[in-house]
Amino acid sequence: MIYTAIDTFYLTDEQLNNSPSRRDGIDEATETTLQIYGCDLIQESGILLKLPQAVMATGQVLFHRFYCKKSFARFNVKRVAASCVWLASKLEECPRKARQVLIVFHRLECRRENLPIEHLDTSSKKYLDLRADLIRAERHLLKEMGFICHVEHPHKFISNYIATLEMPDELRQEAWNLANDSLRTTLCVRFQSEVVACGVVYAAARRFQVPLPENPPWWKAFDADKAGIDEVCRVLAHLYNLPKAQYIPVCKEGGSFSTSNRSLGSPAQTMPKNDDISTSPKGPSFAVMGQEVGKDVANRAPLEKTKSEEESKSLASEGETREEPVSKSISTRKTEAGEKDKSHDRDKERERKKERSKSWDRDRGRERDREDMSERERDRAKGRSYHSRDKGHSEKSKRHSSGDRDYHSSSYSSRDKERRRNH
């Protein structure tokens, strides 16, 4: 029973040995080769698409999970690898267009199989079929996963484990590389991410000859067991001993991304050989001569007919040549009349344009005159208001001056009165 809940998609050795591909007659070596080949396609296409490593890792895990439920004989490895990259780019929030994915896989196939690199026309029927197959394969992926595509990678545990064990920093990159290589195998569907992380850390430590604490055992602090770590190391060692994976056509349906130009060899057409005509040295008899004369007479009639037909054709051609200048003159007259009409229409159109421009200039002049008049009226109104303000100010000043005079005169008269009283 395969569970598709979050972080529970793990299989036993018995389930892996009884996979759908094995039931369809595919042996273990072929299945392993196709698994590595599909993961290589995902890794290389992700590099060409400039995707982060998390997208390639997610795509490879989805690839292994899908073929745990489906057979290589029924689903082509190239199409499934392309759909895994496309789906993983969406899951990791680095989406790529279907056109980009198809163009990259088309180029990869041409380079791997030494085919002439051709441009994949996005408006061709081949591209439309590939795009439909890509969408269909993605639907199959989601259906088999139950739309639960959660993936937990061992990469996030490696840095914590190395820091906890106080190991040198050189081991981090080596363990990271081993974790990337482990995705080409079925370790991601056999063990949890913690066990795979412990296995790659142990393999990196053995390669750099760095001792790890064994009393107490270091793997127990990370919820791992020694058997799982040894199995991870064994699978990685077996992977490095294998040659480069090549494509093996086991699928019933063709899944080629490239269009092979096959030149159709036309069969050689042999010309029929003419039989050798043997002539007898003896002269022909009178009967034969009579037959030949009859044949000549019979052949003269069609020759005369052909001559008469040729003469009639020549006469007809002469009549046509005589009629041609007349027809040409009529056509030239018509063209000349048409050109005159066109020139007349052009002159009329020019006159209309001139009249329109003149009327437009008149309207513009009138508008300018109106604007000038309005500005003059505004200036006059401003002048009137200014003069009225000046008059009011002068009247006020006069009133103030008269008041001052009255005040001074009144004060002067009161002083004189007081002086007179004192005297």
Side-chain angles (χ1 to χ4, degrees):
M1 182 66 182
I2 299 175
Y3 298 96
T4 56
I6 294 177
D7 200 23
T8 57
F9 196 102
Y10 299 108
L11 305 178
T12 61
D13 294 337
E14 295 179 357
Q15 291 173 340
L16 286 174
N17 293 328
N18 193 22
S19 63
S21 299
R22 301 283 182 86
R23 291 196 295 268
D24 287 340
I26 299 175
D27 57 348
E28 182 180 0
T30 304
E31 185 180 12
T32 304
T33 303
L34 290 176
Q35 288 172 353
I36 298 172
Y37 180 81
C39 292
D40 288 342
L41 285 180
I42 293 172
Q43 185 70 27
E44 293 181 12
S45 64
I47 294 171
L48 293 176
L49 290 169
K50 297 181 180 180
L51 292 169
Q53 181 60 33
V55 177
M56 282 92 86
T58 302
Q60 290 171 358
V61 173
L62 295 176
F63 178 82
H64 286 296
R65 288 182 180 180
F66 179 77
Y67 279 110
C68 288
K69 290 189 171 186
K70 295 297 179 181
S71 173
F72 283 101
R74 298 185 180 181
F75 291 89
N76 188 271
V77 63
K78 299 178 183 178
R79 302 289 175 85
V80 174
S83 62
C84 287
V85 172
W86 195 35
L87 179 59
S89 66
K90 300 175 187 177
L91 294 174
E92 298 296 335
E93 297 181 357
C94 297
R96 293 293 184 270
K97 295 181 180 180
R99 174 177 57 83
Q100 297 172 340
V101 175
L102 291 176
I103 289 173
V104 166
F105 271 85
H106 172 263
R107 187 174 182 84
L108 278 176
E109 184 176 3
C110 292
R111 290 173 61 183
R112 280 177 168 266
E113 299 183 4
N114 295 324
L115 297 174
I117 298 176
E118 299 176 353
H119 175 67
L120 182 61
D121 189 7
T122 55
S123 61
S124 62
K125 186 178 182 298
K126 177 72 175 177
Y127 171 78
L128 297 177
D129 294 340
L130 290 174
R131 189 173 183 275
D133 291 339
L134 183 69
I135 297 171
R136 192 180 301 110
E138 185 189 28
R139 286 203 301 266
H140 282 294
L141 277 169
L142 293 172
K143 179 183 175 182
E144 296 302 327
M145 304 297 169
F147 287 85
I148 300 174
C149 302
H150 174 75
V151 178
E152 192 174 27
H153 301 297
H155 300 74
K156 66 179 183 180
F157 300 107
I158 292 174
S159 298
N160 295 331
Y161 291 175
I162 290 176
T164 303
L165 295 172
E166 297 180 355
M167 299 173 69
D169 294 335
E170 292 82 7
L171 290 177
R172 184 178 288 105
Q173 186 62 45
E174 183 65 23
W176 192 277
N177 296 337
L178 292 173
N180 291 334
D181 294 337
S182 69
L183 295 171
R184 289 176 169 82
T185 64
T186 57
L187 291 174
C188 57
V189 294
R190 294 176 60 189
F191 301 101
Q192 294 182 355
S193 301
E194 294 86 349
V195 179
V196 177
C198 290
V200 297
V201 168
Y202 180 70
R206 290 292 298 271
R207 182 169 294 181
F208 281 88
Q209 297 181 358
V210 176
L212 295 173
E214 294 184 357
N215 191 15
W218 63 273
W219 56 83
K220 290 185 178 180
F222 306 124
D223 296 332
D225 55 346
K226 190 66 168 62
I229 293 173
D230 293 339
E231 181 64 18
V232 170
C233 295
R234 187 192 67 79
V235 172
L236 288 174
H238 178 67
L239 174 66
Y240 293 140
N241 291 327
L242 293 175
K244 186 177 180 180
Q246 300 293 332
Y247 176 68
I248 302 174
V250 296
C251 184
K252 299 176 182 178
E253 298 179 357
S256 176
F257 283 92
S258 61
T259 55
S260 59
N261 293 328
R262 297 179 181 177
S263 60
L264 299 175
S266 59
Q269 296 179 358
T270 58
M271 297 296 293
K273 296 181 180 180
N274 295 326
D275 295 331
D276 295 332
I277 301 173
S278 60
T279 57
S280 59
K282 296 181 181 180
S285 61
F286 289 101
V288 175
M289 290 177 65
Q291 290 177 0
E292 289 178 356
V293 171
K295 289 180 181 178
D296 292 333
V297 173
N299 291 329
R300 285 177 186 174
L303 289 172
E304 291 177 356
K305 288 182 181 179
T306 54
K307 287 181 180 179
S308 62
E309 289 176 358
E310 288 177 357
E311 289 177 356
S312 62
K313 287 181 181 179
S314 63
L315 292 173
S317 63
E318 288 177 359
E320 289 176 358
T321 53
R322 289 176 183 174
E323 291 176 359
E324 280 177 1
V326 178
S327 61
K328 285 181 181 178
S329 62
I330 294 170
S331 62
T332 52
R333 289 175 186 174
K334 289 181 179 179
T335 53
E336 289 176 357
E339 289 177 356
K340 288 181 180 179
D341 294 336
K342 289 180 180 179
S343 62
H344 186 64
D345 294 335
R346 289 172 185 171
D347 295 335
K348 286 184 178 180
E349 188 67 20
R350 288 174 185 172
E351 291 177 357
R352 290 174 185 172
K353 288 181 179 179
K354 288 180 181 179
E355 291 177 357
R356 289 174 185 172
S357 62
K358 288 180 181 179
S359 62
W360 186 75
D361 292 334
R362 290 172 187 171
D363 295 335
R364 289 289 297 172
R366 291 174 183 174
E367 289 178 359
R368 289 175 183 174
D369 294 336
R370 291 174 185 174
E371 290 176 357
D372 294 336
M373 290 292 291
S374 62
E375 287 179 358
R376 290 174 186 174
E377 290 177 357
R378 290 173 186 171
D379 294 335
R380 289 176 184 174
K382 288 180 181 179
R384 290 173 185 172
S385 62
Y386 180 76
H387 288 301
S388 62
R389 288 176 184 174
D390 289 340
K391 288 180 180 179
H393 184 68
S394 61
E395 288 177 358
K396 287 181 181 179
S397 61
K398 287 179 181 180
R399 290 175 185 173
H400 285 294
S401 61
S402 61
D404 293 336
R405 288 174 185 173
D406 295 336
Y407 175 75
H408 287 296
S409 61
S410 61
S411 61
Y412 181 75
S413 61
S414 61
R415 287 175 184 174
D416 290 339
K417 287 179 181 180
E418 288 177 356
R419 287 177 183 176
R420 288 174 184 176
R421 288 176 184 176
N422 292 327
H423 289 292

